[in-house]
Amino acid sequence: MSLDSDSAAVPSSSSRDCHLVCLSSPNLATPSFRGISSSTSTSAPQTSFKHERLRRRVDFSRRLEKPPRNDVNVAISTTSDAVSKKRSEAVSGDKFIGFTGHGFKLRWGKWLFQLRITVFSSVVYQNFCLHNQVNELQDHISKLEPRLQAYNSSDSMELISSFGLEALFGVKDDSLAECLWLSWTYVASSGNHADSEKIGERLVSVSISFGGMLIFAMMLGLVSDAISEKFDSLRKGRSEVVEQNHTLILGWSDKLGSLLNQIAIANESLGGGIVVVMAERDKEDMELDIGKMEFDFKGTSVICRGGSPLILADLKKVSVSKARAIIVLAEDGNADQSDARALRTVLSLTGVKEGLRGHIVVELSDLDNEVLVKLVGGDLVETVVAHDVIGRLMIQCARQPGLAQIWEDILGFENCEFYIKRWPQLDGMHFDDVLISYPDAIPCGVKVASLGGKIILNPDDSYVLQEGDEVLVIAEDDDTYAPATLPTVWRGSLPKDFFVPKSAEKILLCGWRRDMEDMIMVLDAFLAPGSELWMFNEVAEKEREKKLTDGGLEINRLVNISLVDREGNAVIRRHLESLPLQSFDSILILADESVEDSAIQADSRSLATLLLIRDIQAKRLPMVIHDERGSFSKSSWIGEMQQASDKSVIISEILDPRTKNLLSMSKISDYVLSNELVSMALAMVAEDRQINDVLEELFAEEGNELQIRQADLYLREGEELSFYEILLRARQRREVMIGYRLVDAERAVINPPAKNERRKWSVKDVFVVIAEKE
């Protein structure tokens, strides 16, 4: 008997007949059948529930050949209804009183007895038939149960083996165990059935081999998919970074390229380092953009991961607790939204359970938000306000042309930068002796241990280094300098002791910044009395005054400058021509607030303003013929603009470093300040957080600052002196000299070599010093 023919379902009518038997003859012994009646389950042996459906299907074809028994049920139902009806009619009243006689009772009893005999015999016959069917089903189930159990407990591989087991067991005379082993060998290797001789065995063997091929193909596909998914996870940056002592950068902006370049230069002496960048971008896109950056990483490896710094799981993925420094970049766009996101990022970083090994350097866009970020981050946080840094640098560079290049040299790691280190051999030495103790560095301050590690720039000569003090120097790298034997230096006298008086200046601000009130207050502190500050922008004069007042500026309390308001568009020529452009000492072209969200649009506007101003100046100023003027013709428009730059200084604020390179090559602007300087400051603070205190003082209105001095303050024409001798003369003016620029040189030399060698100087040379603000 095949499994299909013997597994047909039992008709539902038989089940109803079986229930009828149980109701009519409760004492009749009937075999137990699961699924037929729950009241007869005590006499038959218990079988597994998983074969219930199979029991109902077995021998279905044979039961279909039996006549239906539904007519008996109909007859019984009809007769019962009739009897009930006649009884009700007999009891109901006078209408049927004639049927209650003795003859009717005899006939009714005889008829009812015959009916019961007929029904009883029919029920006995049905019960006998069902009993035989149950016995047959139980016998068949007992034979199929081992095979069904093996089938249900097998997996996808054992499914084929079980099928092969049943098929082989049917065509071969071997035991069940031997057939199981043969079916497995056929699944595992398709060549093991070559010794089969009978046609049935060969067909079964080939079928099993094909099934094995399908199973192994499916397994190979699953393994391949798992491997592909793993590689895809690695490619998209979902894996965890196993590095430690690395620099972690959170966010993505146009400053990232120059920031990576500065970090790579700083790590060059160590053979390279590890930088991990995490931003809400695809890892492949980040790697593609970084690969397009045109600079040498000098052994530094950059690892990219996609994720949000606001999610702790993503921070754990980049090993935030093992990083030596964490840099949070400001987003491009709205300043308040960018600072709000930086604040949430700091909150997320402070919530890391493992704690942080390094410090956090946060780039902010608005100075007003600095206090809140420091309040949340505490001692872990160092802030660099990009907008404020650029604004203060523009003011300093407008007052002292050439200072921007010096700042670029000091902030960047290409040349010389600030370092702080302790040298026990210098304990007990005066600061003026410390100044000439480093052949390859220039000391400019002391980190005083007794004051809790406070850094003092340009201390008194009489200050004696104590135990625990550290020396702040400007050097090429942290491993390129060390104190040497104290040299013998002649201490001369200044040629003349006079104070350089400040003269009133006339400065033009083109554009409007968010921190305009801060710039005005800084200019009022720096400029001489009687100076004029012209503001030319599209903001209405009434609204302009309201913005300055809301920002905390009291115009009537300005001491040294007077404000001159002009309304107009800086990219329209006729508006610019209404200004006395040829009379300004300095012109600052600002990235306007209305377009600062787009670096390209802001740079395009600044570039157009610069070209228009230089062209108007060239037309108004008399032409001066030079023998040589760079690589441009004297009659070209660029040559005219370069000549106009000799009369006034123009400082341009450019956001995109690529635009800065174009303007620097044309030389029509004295200097271009861009976000590249902010990236340098971020990298320097990330390498050593103590440097942030130095930068804050140098940018502030009070304290010390970088200044450019004329050589006639320290020497006479043609005098032959060493750099050490001039340095000690500068100490008589309470200044720390850090470099110089010769009259015929384009760039200044910071931390010059061979400091003890003498040379002739010109009074037209200039020196770079750190001095107190006047």
Side-chain angles (χ1 to χ4, degrees), residues 277-305:
V277 180
M278 187 178 76
E280 296 183 42
R281 299 185 60 195
D282 188 74
K283 175 178 178 290
E284 296 177 344
D285 294 339
M286 289 190 287
E287 291 177 345
L288 184 62
D289 291 342
I290 293 176
K292 294 178 180 178
M293 297 177 181
E294 299 178 353
F295 59 84
D296 185 11
F297 285 96
K298 304 181 185 301
T300 296
S301 301
V302 180
I303 302 174
C304 297
R305 288 291 182 269

PDB file of all heavy atoms in Angstrom, residues 277-305:
ATOM      1  N   VAL A 277      37.515  59.412  11.156  1.00  0.00           N
ATOM      2  CA  VAL A 277      36.510  60.417  10.806  1.00  0.00           C
ATOM      3  C   VAL A 277      35.145  59.749  10.822  1.00  0.00           C
ATOM      4  O   VAL A 277      34.935  58.739  10.139  1.00  0.00           O
ATOM      5  CB  VAL A 277      36.781  61.039   9.422  1.00  0.00           C
ATOM      6  CG1 VAL A 277      35.729  62.083   9.088  1.00  0.00           C
ATOM      7  CG2 VAL A 277      38.176  61.645   9.366  1.00  0.00           C
ATOM      8  N   MET A 278      34.219  60.286  11.613  1.00  0.00           N
ATOM      9  CA  MET A 278      32.849  59.777  11.628  1.00  0.00           C
ATOM     10  C   MET A 278      31.886  60.911  11.302  1.00  0.00           C
ATOM     11  O   MET A 278      31.911  61.960  11.948  1.00  0.00           O
ATOM     12  CB  MET A 278      32.482  59.173  12.984  1.00  0.00           C
ATOM     13  CG  MET A 278      31.117  58.485  12.962  1.00  0.00           C
ATOM     14  SD  MET A 278      30.635  57.701  14.517  1.00  0.00           S
ATOM     15  CE  MET A 278      30.172  59.138  15.455  1.00  0.00           C
ATOM     16  N   ALA A 279      31.078  60.696  10.291  1.00  0.00           N
ATOM     17  CA  ALA A 279      30.092  61.688   9.870  1.00  0.00           C
ATOM     18  C   ALA A 279      28.859  60.954   9.380  1.00  0.00           C
ATOM     19  O   ALA A 279      28.887  59.738   9.126  1.00  0.00           O
ATOM     20  CB  ALA A 279      30.658  62.601   8.781  1.00  0.00           C
ATOM     21  N   GLU A 280      27.781  61.694   9.245  1.00  0.00           N
ATOM     22  CA  GLU A 280      26.524  61.112   8.768  1.00  0.00           C
ATOM     23  C   GLU A 280      26.531  61.069   7.239  1.00  0.00           C
ATOM     24  O   GLU A 280      25.683  61.662   6.575  1.00  0.00           O
ATOM     25  CB  GLU A 280      25.341  61.903   9.314  1.00  0.00           C
ATOM     26  CG  GLU A 280      25.235  61.850  10.827  1.00  0.00           C
ATOM     27  CD  GLU A 280      24.014  62.572  11.336  1.00  0.00           C
ATOM     28  OE1 GLU A 280      22.942  62.426  10.725  1.00  0.00           O
ATOM     29  OE2 GLU A 280      24.125  63.301  12.330  1.00  0.00           O
ATOM     30  N   ARG A 281      27.511  60.363   6.714  1.00  0.00           N
ATOM     31  CA  ARG A 281      27.656  60.175   5.274  1.00  0.00           C
ATOM     32  C   ARG A 281      28.051  58.729   5.012  1.00  0.00           C
ATOM     33  O   ARG A 281      28.444  57.998   5.932  1.00  0.00           O
ATOM     34  CB  ARG A 281      28.729  61.109   4.692  1.00  0.00           C
ATOM     35  CG  ARG A 281      28.457  62.579   4.850  1.00  0.00           C
ATOM     36  CD  ARG A 281      29.534  63.382   4.133  1.00  0.00           C
ATOM     37  NE  ARG A 281      29.592  63.097   2.714  1.00  0.00           N
ATOM     38  CZ  ARG A 281      30.599  63.433   1.919  1.00  0.00           C
ATOM     39  NH1 ARG A 281      31.642  64.072   2.418  1.00  0.00           N
ATOM     40  NH2 ARG A 281      30.581  63.134   0.639  1.00  0.00           N
ATOM     41  N   ASP A 282      27.952  58.328   3.765  1.00  0.00           N
ATOM     42  CA  ASP A 282      28.364  56.979   3.401  1.00  0.00           C
ATOM     43  C   ASP A 282      29.884  56.878   3.429  1.00  0.00           C
ATOM     44  O   ASP A 282      30.591  57.808   3.016  1.00  0.00           O
ATOM     45  CB  ASP A 282      27.829  56.625   2.007  1.00  0.00           C
ATOM     46  CG  ASP A 282      28.058  55.167   1.669  1.00  0.00           C
ATOM     47  OD1 ASP A 282      27.353  54.317   2.222  1.00  0.00           O
ATOM     48  OD2 ASP A 282      28.961  54.885   0.854  1.00  0.00           O
ATOM     49  N   LYS A 283      30.385  55.773   3.933  1.00  0.00           N
ATOM     50  CA  LYS A 283      31.823  55.591   4.090  1.00  0.00           C
ATOM     51  C   LYS A 283      32.542  55.676   2.746  1.00  0.00           C
ATOM     52  O   LYS A 283      33.624  56.273   2.639  1.00  0.00           O
ATOM     53  CB  LYS A 283      32.094  54.240   4.748  1.00  0.00           C
ATOM     54  CG  LYS A 283      33.571  53.860   4.863  1.00  0.00           C
ATOM     55  CD  LYS A 283      33.723  52.533   5.577  1.00  0.00           C
ATOM     56  CE  LYS A 283      35.182  52.117   5.669  1.00  0.00           C
ATOM     57  NZ  LYS A 283      35.728  51.742   4.360  1.00  0.00           N
ATOM     58  N   GLU A 284      31.976  55.107   1.717  1.00  0.00           N
ATOM     59  CA  GLU A 284      32.622  55.122   0.407  1.00  0.00           C
ATOM     60  C   GLU A 284      32.731  56.543  -0.133  1.00  0.00           C
ATOM     61  O   GLU A 284      33.747  56.912  -0.736  1.00  0.00           O
ATOM     62  CB  GLU A 284      31.857  54.224  -0.559  1.00  0.00           C
ATOM     63  CG  GLU A 284      31.861  52.744  -0.151  1.00  0.00           C
ATOM     64  CD  GLU A 284      31.044  51.900  -1.098  1.00  0.00           C
ATOM     65  OE1 GLU A 284      30.248  52.481  -1.869  1.00  0.00           O
ATOM     66  OE2 GLU A 284      31.185  50.671  -1.063  1.00  0.00           O
ATOM     67  N   ASP A 285      31.691  57.356   0.081  1.00  0.00           N
ATOM     68  CA  ASP A 285      31.744  58.751  -0.385  1.00  0.00           C
ATOM     69  C   ASP A 285      32.816  59.543   0.366  1.00  0.00           C
ATOM     70  O   ASP A 285      33.532  60.362  -0.221  1.00  0.00           O
ATOM     71  CB  ASP A 285      30.380  59.411  -0.206  1.00  0.00           C
ATOM     72  CG  ASP A 285      29.316  58.784  -1.100  1.00  0.00           C
ATOM     73  OD1 ASP A 285      29.710  58.146  -2.105  1.00  0.00           O
ATOM     74  OD2 ASP A 285      28.123  58.911  -0.789  1.00  0.00           O
ATOM     75  N   MET A 286      32.925  59.298   1.668  1.00  0.00           N
ATOM     76  CA  MET A 286      33.951  60.007   2.442  1.00  0.00           C
ATOM     77  C   MET A 286      35.347  59.620   1.978  1.00  0.00           C
ATOM     78  O   MET A 286      36.224  60.485   1.813  1.00  0.00           O
ATOM     79  CB  MET A 286      33.775  59.696   3.929  1.00  0.00           C
ATOM     80  CG  MET A 286      32.549  60.339   4.551  1.00  0.00           C
ATOM     81  SD  MET A 286      32.521  60.200   6.360  1.00  0.00           S
ATOM     82  CE  MET A 286      32.131  58.463   6.554  1.00  0.00           C
ATOM     83  N   GLU A 287      35.575  58.342   1.774  1.00  0.00           N
ATOM     84  CA  GLU A 287      36.895  57.899   1.315  1.00  0.00           C
ATOM     85  C   GLU A 287      37.209  58.450  -0.067  1.00  0.00           C
ATOM     86  O   GLU A 287      38.361  58.795  -0.366  1.00  0.00           O
ATOM     87  CB  GLU A 287      36.952  56.374   1.306  1.00  0.00           C
ATOM     88  CG  GLU A 287      36.945  55.755   2.704  1.00  0.00           C
ATOM     89  CD  GLU A 287      36.928  54.256   2.657  1.00  0.00           C
ATOM     90  OE1 GLU A 287      36.640  53.702   1.567  1.00  0.00           O
ATOM     91  OE2 GLU A 287      37.198  53.609   3.695  1.00  0.00           O
ATOM     92  N   LEU A 288      36.196  58.556  -0.919  1.00  0.00           N
ATOM     93  CA  LEU A 288      36.414  59.119  -2.257  1.00  0.00           C
ATOM     94  C   LEU A 288      36.794  60.594  -2.178  1.00  0.00           C
ATOM     95  O   LEU A 288      37.710  61.049  -2.874  1.00  0.00           O
ATOM     96  CB  LEU A 288      35.150  58.933  -3.100  1.00  0.00           C
ATOM     97  CG  LEU A 288      35.230  59.371  -4.571  1.00  0.00           C
ATOM     98  CD1 LEU A 288      36.282  58.565  -5.317  1.00  0.00           C
ATOM     99  CD2 LEU A 288      33.875  59.230  -5.252  1.00  0.00           C
ATOM    100  N   ASP A 289      36.109  61.357  -1.328  1.00  0.00           N
ATOM    101  CA  ASP A 289      36.429  62.785  -1.195  1.00  0.00           C
ATOM    102  C   ASP A 289      37.809  62.987  -0.567  1.00  0.00           C
ATOM    103  O   ASP A 289      38.552  63.891  -0.973  1.00  0.00           O
ATOM    104  CB  ASP A 289      35.359  63.473  -0.346  1.00  0.00           C
ATOM    105  CG  ASP A 289      34.019  63.555  -1.061  1.00  0.00           C
ATOM    106  OD1 ASP A 289      34.013  63.398  -2.301  1.00  0.00           O
ATOM    107  OD2 ASP A 289      32.990  63.751  -0.395  1.00  0.00           O
ATOM    108  N   ILE A 290      38.157  62.180   0.418  1.00  0.00           N
ATOM    109  CA  ILE A 290      39.478  62.305   1.037  1.00  0.00           C
ATOM    110  C   ILE A 290      40.573  61.916   0.048  1.00  0.00           C
ATOM    111  O   ILE A 290      41.652  62.513   0.028  1.00  0.00           O
ATOM    112  CB  ILE A 290      39.545  61.445   2.310  1.00  0.00           C
ATOM    113  CG1 ILE A 290      38.609  62.024   3.379  1.00  0.00           C
ATOM    114  CG2 ILE A 290      40.967  61.375   2.855  1.00  0.00           C
ATOM    115  CD1 ILE A 290      38.531  61.187   4.635  1.00  0.00           C
ATOM    116  N   GLY A 291      40.299  60.919  -0.789  1.00  0.00           N
ATOM    117  CA  GLY A 291      41.277  60.519  -1.789  1.00  0.00           C
ATOM    118  C   GLY A 291      41.558  61.601  -2.809  1.00  0.00           C
ATOM    119  O   GLY A 291      42.638  61.619  -3.428  1.00  0.00           O
ATOM    120  N   LYS A 292      40.621  62.539  -3.013  1.00  0.00           N
ATOM    121  CA  LYS A 292      40.823  63.626  -3.968  1.00  0.00           C
ATOM    122  C   LYS A 292      41.647  64.772  -3.394  1.00  0.00           C
ATOM    123  O   LYS A 292      42.022  65.684  -4.134  1.00  0.00           O
ATOM    124  CB  LYS A 292      39.460  64.163  -4.424  1.00  0.00           C
ATOM    125  CG  LYS A 292      38.642  63.161  -5.223  1.00  0.00           C
ATOM    126  CD  LYS A 292      37.294  63.752  -5.600  1.00  0.00           C
ATOM    127  CE  LYS A 292      36.452  62.765  -6.393  1.00  0.00           C
ATOM    128  NZ  LYS A 292      35.119  63.321  -6.727  1.00  0.00           N
ATOM    129  N   MET A 293      41.906  64.753  -2.090  1.00  0.00           N
ATOM    130  CA  MET A 293      42.672  65.840  -1.475  1.00  0.00           C
ATOM    131  C   MET A 293      44.124  65.760  -1.909  1.00  0.00           C
ATOM    132  O   MET A 293      44.751  64.700  -1.817  1.00  0.00           O
ATOM    133  CB  MET A 293      42.559  65.755   0.049  1.00  0.00           C
ATOM    134  CG  MET A 293      41.143  65.949   0.554  1.00  0.00           C
ATOM    135  SD  MET A 293      41.014  65.758   2.351  1.00  0.00           S
ATOM    136  CE  MET A 293      39.251  66.001   2.580  1.00  0.00           C
ATOM    137  N   GLU A 294      44.642  66.893  -2.345  1.00  0.00           N
ATOM    138  CA  GLU A 294      45.968  66.924  -2.957  1.00  0.00           C
ATOM    139  C   GLU A 294      47.035  67.260  -1.930  1.00  0.00           C
ATOM    140  O   GLU A 294      47.589  68.360  -1.909  1.00  0.00           O
ATOM    141  CB  GLU A 294      45.978  67.935  -4.102  1.00  0.00           C
ATOM    142  CG  GLU A 294      44.986  67.607  -5.224  1.00  0.00           C
ATOM    143  CD  GLU A 294      44.988  68.659  -6.310  1.00  0.00           C
ATOM    144  OE1 GLU A 294      45.659  69.692  -6.105  1.00  0.00           O
ATOM    145  OE2 GLU A 294      44.313  68.450  -7.329  1.00  0.00           O
ATOM    146  N   PHE A 295      47.319  66.347  -1.038  1.00  0.00           N
ATOM    147  CA  PHE A 295      48.439  66.505  -0.110  1.00  0.00           C
ATOM    148  C   PHE A 295      48.877  65.117   0.345  1.00  0.00           C
ATOM    149  O   PHE A 295      48.147  64.133   0.218  1.00  0.00           O
ATOM    150  CB  PHE A 295      48.081  67.392   1.092  1.00  0.00           C
ATOM    151  CG  PHE A 295      46.933  66.892   1.914  1.00  0.00           C
ATOM    152  CD1 PHE A 295      47.113  65.938   2.901  1.00  0.00           C
ATOM    153  CD2 PHE A 295      45.657  67.389   1.708  1.00  0.00           C
ATOM    154  CE1 PHE A 295      46.060  65.483   3.663  1.00  0.00           C
ATOM    155  CE2 PHE A 295      44.595  66.948   2.471  1.00  0.00           C
ATOM    156  CZ  PHE A 295      44.806  65.989   3.447  1.00  0.00           C
ATOM    157  N   ASP A 296      50.092  65.087   0.862  1.00  0.00           N
ATOM    158  CA  ASP A 296      50.699  63.835   1.307  1.00  0.00           C
ATOM    159  C   ASP A 296      50.337  63.588   2.775  1.00  0.00           C
ATOM    160  O   ASP A 296      50.530  64.473   3.624  1.00  0.00           O
ATOM    161  CB  ASP A 296      52.220  63.905   1.141  1.00  0.00           C
ATOM    162  CG  ASP A 296      52.902  62.584   1.482  1.00  0.00           C
ATOM    163  OD1 ASP A 296      52.196  61.577   1.633  1.00  0.00           O
ATOM    164  OD2 ASP A 296      54.138  62.578   1.586  1.00  0.00           O
ATOM    165  N   PHE A 297      49.816  62.399   3.059  1.00  0.00           N
ATOM    166  CA  PHE A 297      49.432  62.071   4.432  1.00  0.00           C
ATOM    167  C   PHE A 297      50.632  61.695   5.299  1.00  0.00           C
ATOM    168  O   PHE A 297      50.474  61.530   6.506  1.00  0.00           O
ATOM    169  CB  PHE A 297      48.416  60.932   4.435  1.00  0.00           C
ATOM    170  CG  PHE A 297      47.038  61.353   4.014  1.00  0.00           C
ATOM    171  CD1 PHE A 297      46.614  61.193   2.706  1.00  0.00           C
ATOM    172  CD2 PHE A 297      46.179  61.937   4.925  1.00  0.00           C
ATOM    173  CE1 PHE A 297      45.347  61.586   2.318  1.00  0.00           C
ATOM    174  CE2 PHE A 297      44.907  62.338   4.538  1.00  0.00           C
ATOM    175  CZ  PHE A 297      44.490  62.165   3.234  1.00  0.00           C
ATOM    176  N   LYS A 298      51.790  61.519   4.715  1.00  0.00           N
ATOM    177  CA  LYS A 298      53.042  61.313   5.454  1.00  0.00           C
ATOM    178  C   LYS A 298      52.950  60.162   6.463  1.00  0.00           C
ATOM    179  O   LYS A 298      53.399  60.269   7.601  1.00  0.00           O
ATOM    180  CB  LYS A 298      53.454  62.598   6.176  1.00  0.00           C
ATOM    181  CG  LYS A 298      53.586  63.791   5.249  1.00  0.00           C
ATOM    182  CD  LYS A 298      54.016  65.033   5.994  1.00  0.00           C
ATOM    183  CE  LYS A 298      54.022  66.252   5.071  1.00  0.00           C
ATOM    184  NZ  LYS A 298      54.912  66.105   3.925  1.00  0.00           N
ATOM    185  N   GLY A 299      52.351  59.073   6.037  1.00  0.00           N
ATOM    186  CA  GLY A 299      52.268  57.884   6.889  1.00  0.00           C
ATOM    187  C   GLY A 299      51.047  57.829   7.779  1.00  0.00           C
ATOM    188  O   GLY A 299      50.821  56.819   8.463  1.00  0.00           O
ATOM    189  N   THR A 300      50.252  58.866   7.826  1.00  0.00           N
ATOM    190  CA  THR A 300      49.048  58.878   8.655  1.00  0.00           C
ATOM    191  C   THR A 300      47.916  58.139   7.944  1.00  0.00           C
ATOM    192  O   THR A 300      47.669  58.368   6.757  1.00  0.00           O
ATOM    193  CB  THR A 300      48.620  60.321   8.969  1.00  0.00           C
ATOM    194  OG1 THR A 300      49.635  60.942   9.749  1.00  0.00           O
ATOM    195  CG2 THR A 300      47.308  60.351   9.733  1.00  0.00           C
ATOM    196  N   SER A 301      47.247  57.255   8.655  1.00  0.00           N
ATOM    197  CA  SER A 301      46.126  56.495   8.107  1.00  0.00           C
ATOM    198  C   SER A 301      44.814  57.157   8.521  1.00  0.00           C
ATOM    199  O   SER A 301      44.647  57.560   9.673  1.00  0.00           O
ATOM    200  CB  SER A 301      46.155  55.045   8.612  1.00  0.00           C
ATOM    201  OG  SER A 301      47.359  54.409   8.247  1.00  0.00           O
ATOM    202  N   VAL A 302      43.892  57.261   7.560  1.00  0.00           N
ATOM    203  CA  VAL A 302      42.578  57.860   7.809  1.00  0.00           C
ATOM    204  C   VAL A 302      41.524  56.764   7.680  1.00  0.00           C
ATOM    205  O   VAL A 302      41.431  56.107   6.642  1.00  0.00           O
ATOM    206  CB  VAL A 302      42.286  59.018   6.837  1.00  0.00           C
ATOM    207  CG1 VAL A 302      40.917  59.613   7.119  1.00  0.00           C
ATOM    208  CG2 VAL A 302      43.364  60.084   6.944  1.00  0.00           C
ATOM    209  N   ILE A 303      40.756  56.562   8.739  1.00  0.00           N
ATOM    210  CA  ILE A 303      39.695  55.554   8.775  1.00  0.00           C
ATOM    211  C   ILE A 303      38.357  56.283   8.830  1.00  0.00           C
ATOM    212  O   ILE A 303      38.167  57.180   9.655  1.00  0.00           O
ATOM    213  CB  ILE A 303      39.850  54.620   9.991  1.00  0.00           C
ATOM    214  CG1 ILE A 303      41.214  53.938   9.960  1.00  0.00           C
ATOM    215  CG2 ILE A 303      38.739  53.589  10.036  1.00  0.00           C
ATOM    216  CD1 ILE A 303      41.514  53.117  11.202  1.00  0.00           C
ATOM    217  N   CYS A 304      37.444  55.902   7.950  1.00  0.00           N
ATOM    218  CA  CYS A 304      36.134  56.557   7.872  1.00  0.00           C
ATOM    219  C   CYS A 304      35.054  55.616   8.392  1.00  0.00           C
ATOM    220  O   CYS A 304      35.076  54.405   8.121  1.00  0.00           O
ATOM    221  CB  CYS A 304      35.817  56.986   6.440  1.00  0.00           C
ATOM    222  SG  CYS A 304      36.961  58.208   5.758  1.00  0.00           S
ATOM    223  N   ARG A 305      34.107  56.172   9.102  1.00  0.00           N
ATOM    224  CA  ARG A 305      32.952  55.430   9.590  1.00  0.00           C
ATOM    225  C   ARG A 305      31.721  56.322   9.461  1.00  0.00           C
ATOM    226  O   ARG A 305      31.769  57.519   9.727  1.00  0.00           O
ATOM    227  CB  ARG A 305      33.129  55.016  11.057  1.00  0.00           C
ATOM    228  CG  ARG A 305      34.143  53.924  11.281  1.00  0.00           C
ATOM    229  CD  ARG A 305      33.653  52.592  10.705  1.00  0.00           C
ATOM    230  NE  ARG A 305      34.585  51.519  10.956  1.00  0.00           N
ATOM    231  CZ  ARG A 305      35.567  51.155  10.147  1.00  0.00           C
ATOM    232  NH1 ARG A 305      35.753  51.834   9.010  1.00  0.00           N
ATOM    233  NH2 ARG A 305      36.361  50.160  10.430  1.00  0.00           N
TER     234      ARG A 305
END
